[in-house]
Amino acid sequence: GAVVSQHPSWVICKSGTSVKIECRSLDFQATTMFWYRQFPKQSLMLMATSNEGSKATYEQGVEKDKFLINHASLTLSTLTVTSAHPEDSSFYICSARELLGGGGANVLTFGAGSRLTVL
Amino acid sequence: GDSVTQMEGPVTLSEEAFLTINCTYTATGYPSLFWYVQYPGEGLQLLLKATKADDKGSNKGFEATYRKETTSFHLEKGSVQVSDSAVYFCALSGQNTGNQFYFGTGTSLTVIP
């Protein structure tokens, strides 16, 4: 089945530094990837939709300059948290959409998530 | 707009108990419906799905039936195990949502021996 690899799984950084999280589709091409943020014991909050070869579409309230998204190839999207602060500490999850053949439903395949802790 | 309403948790059950997690949806058109599971410290995994009315999705002993008349997609399992402890998310997606996925708030399940 489809696999999405997310790296790193856990990162600790100092306040003011930037952190890059990678999301790769390992055995399929993903023209669209999604980035979510999840606070403890809460649901997923969609941050942005990453489209290969074009600018990401951000959800309302998400700072574009804080959360930089790049989708340079059909198998890789990156999220960079710039000038991270403690309030950016969270669990970030990416997903990629795989279109199933025969008119089947799109299925979202998720990465394992990246836990960011900003000191 | 399209949305998913999910039974609030947390839910605590004894091993071998029957599980139901309710999920209802609001949508124009005919979306596909999904249940995803998130084990502690991990990302989400697709548990099962149904693409049209009366379809039944099933996996690992879990089942859910797409009920158009009640706009529901309740998750059930006849006998839960400790290893089923996780957070369960109901979701929908379809052409009318621009193929975007909408998730419920998640229901935390804890199964005790």
Side-chain angles (χ1 to χ4, degrees):
Chain A
V3 177
V4 172
S5 173
Q6 192 171 340
H7 177 81
S9 57
W10 193 5
V11 56
I12 302 173
C13 70
K14 293 182 179 180
S15 185
T17 60
S18 294
V19 174
K20 180 186 284 188
I21 300 170
E22 294 187 348
C23 180
R24 295 180 184 273
S25 57
L26 294 188
D27 49 5
F28 66 101
Q29 294 182 333
T31 56
T32 303
M33 291 185 176
F34 303 93
W35 287 96
Y36 295 86
R37 183 173 180 177
Q38 186 180 36
F39 293 99
K41 299 185 179 181
Q42 294 190 23
S43 187
L44 305 170
M45 182 192 80
L46 178 64
M47 299 174 64
T49 301
S50 172
N51 301 298
E52 187 269 335
S54 64
K55 292 182 179 180
T57 305
Y58 289 82
E59 296 298 302
Q60 192 171 10
V62 177
E63 298 178 59
K64 301 177 183 181
D65 296 333
K66 159 69 78 174
F67 300 100
L68 299 180
I69 290 173
N70 183 279
H71 195 157
S73 77
L74 286 171
T75 59
L76 174 63
S77 176
T78 60
L79 167 68
T80 301
V81 183
T82 62
S83 187
H85 291 283
E87 58 266 29
D88 298 323
S89 298
S90 191
F91 195 53
Y92 294 89
I93 308 175
C94 73
S95 68
R97 186 168 63 204
E98 180 187 21
L99 178 61
L100 299 180
N106 292 335
V107 172
L108 272 189
T109 301
F110 286 82
S114 298
R115 185 165 302 284
L116 171 62
T117 301
V118 184
L119 302 177
Chain B
D2 293 5
S3 66
V4 172
T5 302
Q6 194 173 336
M7 166 182 168
E8 288 195 18
V11 174
T12 302
L13 294 173
S14 297
E15 206 166 19
E16 299 184 0
F18 184 85
L19 168 71
T20 299
I21 301 178
N22 290 338
C23 172
T24 57
Y25 67 91
T26 301
T28 53
Y30 304 98
S32 296
L33 301 173
F34 306 82
W35 277 101
Y36 280 84
V37 58
Q38 184 180 30
Y39 297 103
E42 299 183 13
L44 276 69
Q45 301 173 26
L46 177 65
L47 181 59
L48 53 84
K49 64 177 171 66
T51 58
K52 61 183 186 297
D54 299 326
D55 267 3
K56 177 186 283 188
S58 62
N59 185 27
K60 298 181 181 179
F62 290 90
E63 293 183 342
T65 301
Y66 190 141
R67 302 281 187 202
K68 184 171 176 288
E69 62 277 14
T70 55
T71 62
S72 65
F73 192 56
H74 304 322
L75 182 69
E76 296 182 336
K77 185 173 185 181
S79 176
V80 293
Q81 305 301 313
V82 172
S83 57
D84 294 326
S85 297
V87 180
Y88 293 82
F89 292 91
C90 185
L92 70 79
S93 177
Q95 290 185 342
N96 287 337
T97 69
N99 286 317
Q100 179 57 274
F101 277 69
Y102 292 90
F103 288 87
T105 53
T107 302
S108 174
L109 169 67
T110 300
V111 180
I112 54 178

